[in-house]
Structure formats: C-alpha cells, structure tokens
Amino acid sequence: VRSPKRARPVVRVACCACVDAAGRVLLVRREAGLLAGTWALPVAELEGEGDGATAGRAAAREAGAAPGRLVARGAVRHVFTHRDVTAEVFRARATARRLRDGNAVRRWVAPDAFDTLAISSFTRKTLAAALADGKRDK
C-alpha cells in the first residue's frame, strides 16, 4: 500500500528584471538551496498577501540596482518536485550601479548571452515574461 503523496507547498515570489540603458539585465547567482549555482532575476519571497512590487523593488536594490518605475509583466507558475511556485514578474529601467563582488554573484548580461550561463527553466520563463514586447513600458 502506497502512502499518499505530501502536498506541495504553494509559494509566491516577486522577480524584478532590471534593464539598463544598454539593454542588459541584472542576474544574480543563487548561492544555496533550490537551483543553487544557477543565474536568476533578483527575487523575494512574498509572505501572505504581500505586495509584489514592493518586494520586487527591494530584491532589485539588494542585488545592486537602482530601479525606476516597476511595470507588472504578469505571473509565471512553475511546479517543482516539492514546491508549487508562482512568480509575479516586474520589469524596471535601472541604473547599473557598480558591482563590488567582481561579478561573482551578480552581473549585467545582454539577452543574447543568456545561453552562455546556467539558467533554469523557471528563470527562462520569468525572463521571457519580463522581456516580451518591451515596447509597452518604455
């Protein structure tokens, strides 16, 4: 007799695609936990009914960007083996502040260079949502 599967926790996060004047996107390397070592947009987990835009702005600032007005770009859902994640995706023009870590955990990346980095399918979904039809939020 099989025991019933445990329910996956449902998690909400906010991602912010910071885009500089040259069209580069700020990515951060995940240091630990789920998807460690891969590159992703700055992200913050939302508690309860938390505001996605506020969390997205805070994540971008913590990653080393000075974001302008955030534009909601939609939501992306991704089911991992042990978590059901919904990401509220935002995009913002950002000033490329100097990164003091030698680009070890943060870097500005041109979209045509995404394929040279270790990027998860979840991050590819969030990038696609953030960068699709960018003419609307200029």
Side-chain angles (χ1 to χ4, degrees):
V1 175
R2 286 187 156 176
S3 55
K5 290 184 179 181
R6 289 191 336 204
R8 289 183 184 97
V10 176
V11 179
R12 286 181 52 231
V13 299
C15 300
C16 185
C18 298
V19 182
D20 70 4
R24 299 175 303 166
V25 179
L26 179 64
L27 296 179
V28 295
R29 187 185 313 223
R30 294 176 178 268
E31 295 183 30
L34 183 66
L35 306 174
T38 62
W39 293 90
L41 293 172
V43 64
E45 193 163 330
L46 296 170
E47 299 292 329
E49 296 297 317
D51 179 42
T54 301
R57 180 176 302 284
R61 285 185 176 153
E62 185 178 321
R69 181 178 64 91
L70 267 65
V71 177
R73 304 298 292 169
V76 171
R77 181 172 178 232
H78 191 85
V79 179
F80 294 92
T81 57
H82 61 289
R83 289 172 56 160
D84 185 343
V85 179
T86 299
E88 293 181 28
V89 181
F90 297 89
R91 177 180 169 146
R93 288 279 183 202
T95 303
R97 292 184 358 202
R98 184 176 170 87
L99 303 179
R100 296 185 194 113
D101 61 9
N103 294 332
V105 292
R106 299 173 283 195
R107 68 171 59 157
W108 292 92
V109 181
D112 61 357
F114 290 159
D115 289 338
T116 65
L117 299 174
I119 296 178
S120 70
S121 59
F122 171 67
T123 297
R124 289 188 190 282
K125 287 180 184 180
T126 59
L127 283 166
L131 301 178
D133 188 27
K135 294 176 184 174
R136 287 186 299 188
D137 51 32
K138 286 187 179 178

